[in-house]
Coordinates of all heavy atoms in Angstrom, one line a residue:
V17 N -26.2 -39.4 -14.1 CA -26.3 -40.2 -15.3 C -27.7 -39.9 -15.9 O -28.7 -39.9 -15.2 CB -26.2 -41.7 -14.9 CG1 -26.4 -42.6 -16.1 CG2 -24.8 -42.0 -14.3
A18 N -27.7 -39.6 -17.2 CA -28.9 -39.4 -17.9 C -29.8 -40.6 -17.8 O -29.3 -41.8 -17.7 CB -28.6 -39.0 -19.4
P19 N -31.1 -40.5 -17.8 CA -32.0 -41.6 -17.6 C -31.9 -42.6 -18.8 O -31.5 -42.3 -19.9 CB -33.4 -41.0 -17.7 CG -33.2 -39.5 -17.5 CD -31.8 -39.2 -17.9
Q20 N -32.2 -43.8 -18.4 CA -32.1 -44.9 -19.4 C -33.1 -44.6 -20.6 O -34.2 -44.0 -20.3 CB -32.5 -46.2 -18.8 CG -32.2 -47.4 -19.7 CD -32.3 -48.7 -18.9 OE1 -32.9 -48.8 -17.8 NE2 -31.6 -49.7 -19.4
G21 N -32.7 -44.9 -21.8 CA -33.6 -44.6 -22.9 C -33.3 -43.3 -23.6 O -33.8 -43.0 -24.7
V22 N -32.5 -42.4 -23.0 CA -32.2 -41.1 -23.6 C -31.2 -41.4 -24.7 O -30.2 -42.1 -24.6 CB -31.6 -40.2 -22.6 CG1 -31.0 -38.9 -23.2 CG2 -32.6 -39.8 -21.6
T23 N -31.4 -40.8 -25.9 CA -30.5 -40.9 -27.0 C -30.0 -39.5 -27.4 O -30.6 -38.5 -27.2 CB -31.2 -41.6 -28.2 OG1 -32.3 -40.8 -28.7 CG2 -31.6 -43.0 -27.9
F24 N -28.8 -39.5 -28.0 CA -28.1 -38.3 -28.4 C -27.8 -38.6 -29.9 O -27.2 -39.6 -30.2 CB -26.8 -38.1 -27.6 CG -27.1 -37.9 -26.2 CD1 -27.0 -39.0 -25.3 CD2 -27.3 -36.7 -25.6 CE1 -27.2 -38.9 -24.0 CE2 -27.5 -36.6 -24.2 CZ -27.5 -37.7 -23.4
R25 N -28.1 -37.6 -30.8 CA -27.7 -37.7 -32.2 C -27.5 -36.3 -32.7 O -28.0 -35.3 -32.2 CB -28.7 -38.5 -33.0 CG -30.1 -37.8 -33.1 CD -30.9 -38.5 -34.2 NE -32.2 -37.9 -34.3 CZ -32.6 -36.8 -35.0 NH1 -31.7 -36.1 -35.6 NH2 -33.8 -36.4 -35.0
A26 N -26.9 -36.2 -33.9 CA -26.7 -35.0 -34.6 C -28.0 -34.5 -35.1 O -28.8 -35.3 -35.7 CB -25.7 -35.1 -35.7
A27 N -28.3 -33.2 -34.9 CA -29.6 -32.6 -35.4 C -29.4 -32.3 -36.9 O -28.3 -32.1 -37.3 CB -29.9 -31.4 -34.6
D31 N -35.2 -31.4 -37.9 CA -35.4 -31.2 -36.5 C -35.7 -29.8 -36.1 O -35.9 -29.5 -34.9 CB -34.2 -31.7 -35.7 CG -33.9 -33.1 -35.9 OD1 -34.8 -33.9 -35.8 OD2 -32.7 -33.5 -36.2
I35 N -36.8 -28.4 -32.3 CA -35.8 -27.6 -31.5 C -36.4 -26.2 -31.2 O -36.2 -25.7 -30.1 CB -34.5 -27.5 -32.3 CG1 -33.8 -28.9 -32.3 CG2 -33.6 -26.5 -31.7 CD1 -32.6 -29.0 -33.1
I38 N -38.6 -26.7 -28.2 CA -37.9 -26.8 -27.0 C -37.3 -25.5 -26.5 O -37.3 -25.1 -25.4 CB -36.7 -27.9 -27.2 CG1 -37.3 -29.3 -27.4 CG2 -35.8 -27.8 -26.0 CD1 -36.3 -30.3 -28.0
V72 N -24.9 -29.5 -33.5 CA -26.1 -29.5 -32.7 C -26.4 -30.9 -32.3 O -26.6 -31.7 -33.2 CB -27.2 -28.8 -33.4 CG1 -28.5 -28.8 -32.5 CG2 -26.9 -27.3 -33.7
T73 N -26.4 -31.2 -31.0 CA -26.8 -32.5 -30.5 C -28.2 -32.5 -30.1 O -28.6 -31.6 -29.2 CB -25.9 -33.0 -29.4 OG1 -24.5 -32.9 -29.8 CG2 -26.2 -34.4 -28.9
L74 N -29.0 -33.4 -30.6 CA -30.4 -33.5 -30.2 C -30.6 -34.6 -29.2 O -30.0 -35.7 -29.4 CB -31.3 -33.7 -31.4 CG -32.8 -33.8 -31.2 CD1 -33.3 -32.3 -30.9 CD2 -33.5 -34.3 -32.4
V75 N -31.3 -34.4 -28.1 CA -31.6 -35.4 -27.1 C -33.0 -35.8 -27.2 O -33.9 -35.0 -27.3 CB -31.3 -34.8 -25.7 CG1 -31.5 -35.9 -24.7 CG2 -30.0 -34.1 -25.6
S76 N -33.2 -37.1 -27.2 CA -34.6 -37.6 -27.3 C -34.8 -38.7 -26.3 O -33.9 -39.4 -25.8 CB -34.8 -38.3 -28.7 OG -34.7 -37.3 -29.7
L77 N -36.1 -38.8 -25.9 CA -36.6 -39.8 -25.0 C -38.0 -40.1 -25.5 O -38.9 -39.5 -25.1 CB -36.6 -39.4 -23.5 CG -37.0 -40.4 -22.5 CD1 -36.1 -41.6 -22.5 CD2 -37.1 -39.7 -21.1
D78 N -38.1 -40.9 -26.5 CA -39.3 -41.1 -27.3 C -39.6 -39.9 -28.2 O -40.3 -40.1 -29.2 CB -40.5 -41.5 -26.4 CG -40.3 -42.8 -25.6 OD1 -39.6 -43.7 -26.2 OD2 -40.7 -42.8 -24.5
K79 N -39.2 -38.7 -27.8 CA -39.4 -37.5 -28.6 C -38.3 -36.6 -28.3 O -37.6 -36.7 -27.2 CB -40.8 -36.9 -28.4 CG -40.9 -36.3 -27.0 CD -42.2 -35.7 -26.7 CE -42.3 -35.0 -25.3 NZ -43.4 -34.3 -25.1
P80 N -38.0 -35.6 -29.1 CA -37.0 -34.6 -28.8 C -37.3 -33.9 -27.5 O -38.4 -33.4 -27.3 CB -37.0 -33.7 -30.0 CG -37.5 -34.5 -31.1 CD -38.6 -35.4 -30.5
I81 N -36.3 -33.8 -26.6 CA -36.5 -33.1 -25.3 C -35.4 -32.1 -25.0 O -35.5 -31.4 -24.0 CB -36.6 -34.2 -24.1 CG1 -35.3 -35.0 -24.1 CG2 -37.8 -35.0 -24.3 CD1 -35.2 -35.9 -22.8
G82 N -34.4 -32.0 -25.8 CA -33.3 -31.0 -25.6 C -32.3 -31.0 -26.7 O -32.3 -31.8 -27.6
F83 N -31.5 -29.9 -26.6 CA -30.4 -29.8 -27.6 C -29.3 -28.9 -27.0 O -29.5 -28.1 -26.1 CB -30.9 -29.2 -28.9 CG -31.3 -27.7 -28.8 CD1 -30.3 -26.8 -29.3 CD2 -32.5 -27.3 -28.4 CE1 -30.6 -25.4 -29.3 CE2 -32.8 -25.9 -28.3 CZ -31.8 -25.0 -28.8
M84 N -28.1 -29.2 -27.6 CA -27.0 -28.3 -27.3 C -26.3 -28.0 -28.6 O -26.1 -28.8 -29.5 CB -25.9 -29.1 -26.4 CG -24.7 -28.2 -26.1 SD -23.5 -29.1 -25.1 CE -23.0 -30.4 -26.2
L94 N -27.8 -24.4 -24.8 CA -28.2 -25.6 -24.1 C -29.6 -25.4 -23.6 O -29.8 -24.6 -22.7 CB -27.2 -25.9 -23.0 CG -27.5 -27.1 -22.1 CD1 -27.6 -28.4 -22.9 CD2 -26.4 -27.3 -21.1
Y95 N -30.5 -26.2 -24.1 CA -31.9 -26.0 -23.7 C -32.5 -27.4 -23.5 O -32.3 -28.3 -24.4 CB -32.7 -25.2 -24.7 CG -32.3 -23.8 -24.8 CD1 -31.4 -23.3 -25.7 CD2 -32.9 -22.9 -23.9 CE1 -31.1 -22.0 -25.7 CE2 -32.5 -21.5 -23.9 CZ -31.6 -21.1 -24.8 OH -31.3 -19.8 -24.8
L96 N -33.3 -27.6 -22.5 CA -34.0 -28.8 -22.2 C -35.5 -28.4 -22.1 O -35.8 -27.4 -21.5 CB -33.6 -29.5 -21.0 CG -32.2 -30.1 -21.0 CD1 -31.8 -30.7 -19.6 CD2 -32.1 -31.2 -22.0
F100 N -38.0 -32.1 -18.3 CA -36.9 -33.0 -18.3 C -35.6 -32.4 -17.6 O -34.5 -33.0 -17.7 CB -36.6 -33.5 -19.7 CG -37.7 -34.4 -20.2 CD1 -38.7 -33.8 -21.0 CD2 -37.8 -35.7 -19.9 CE1 -39.8 -34.5 -21.5 CE2 -38.9 -36.5 -20.4 CZ -39.8 -35.9 -21.1
R103 N -32.4 -34.0 -14.5 CA -32.3 -35.5 -14.6 C -30.9 -36.0 -15.1 O -30.8 -37.1 -15.5 CB -33.4 -36.0 -15.5 CG -34.8 -35.8 -15.0 CD -35.8 -36.4 -15.9 NE -37.2 -36.0 -15.6 CZ -38.2 -36.6 -16.1 NH1 -38.1 -37.6 -17.0 NH2 -39.4 -36.2 -15.7
G104 N -30.0 -35.1 -15.2 CA -28.7 -35.4 -15.7 C -28.5 -35.3 -17.2 O -27.4 -35.6 -17.7
I105 N -29.5 -34.9 -17.9 CA -29.4 -34.8 -19.4 C -28.5 -33.6 -19.8 O -27.6 -33.8 -20.6 CB -30.8 -34.7 -20.0 CG1 -31.6 -36.0 -19.6 CG2 -30.7 -34.5 -21.5 CD1 -33.1 -35.8 -19.8
G106 N -28.7 -32.5 -19.2 CA -27.9 -31.3 -19.5 C -26.4 -31.6 -19.2 O -25.5 -31.3 -19.9
A108 N -24.9 -34.5 -19.1 CA -24.4 -35.5 -20.1 C -24.0 -34.7 -21.4 O -23.0 -35.0 -22.0 CB -25.4 -36.5 -20.4
L109 N -24.8 -33.8 -21.8 CA -24.5 -33.0 -23.0 C -23.2 -32.2 -22.8 O -22.3 -32.2 -23.6 CB -25.6 -32.0 -23.3 CG -26.8 -32.6 -24.0 CD1 -28.0 -31.7 -24.0 CD2 -26.5 -33.0 -25.5
Q112 N -20.1 -34.3 -22.8 CA -19.7 -34.7 -24.1 C -18.9 -33.6 -24.8 O -17.9 -33.9 -25.4 CB -21.0 -35.0 -25.0 CG -21.7 -36.2 -24.6 CD -23.0 -36.4 -25.4 OE1 -23.2 -35.8 -26.5 NE2 -23.9 -37.2 -24.8

Side-chain angles (χ1 to χ4, degrees):
V17 177
Q20 194 168 21
V22 171
T23 61
F24 302 89
R25 69 166 174 82
D31 299 315
I35 291 173
I38 294 163
V72 179
T73 303
L74 185 69
V75 183
S76 295
L77 184 62
D78 298 325
K79 66 177 185 175
I81 59 169
F83 73 97
M84 178 179 68
L94 174 58
Y95 290 95
L96 292 175
F100 295 92
R103 298 184 187 191
I105 298 165
L109 283 165
Q112 288 174 23

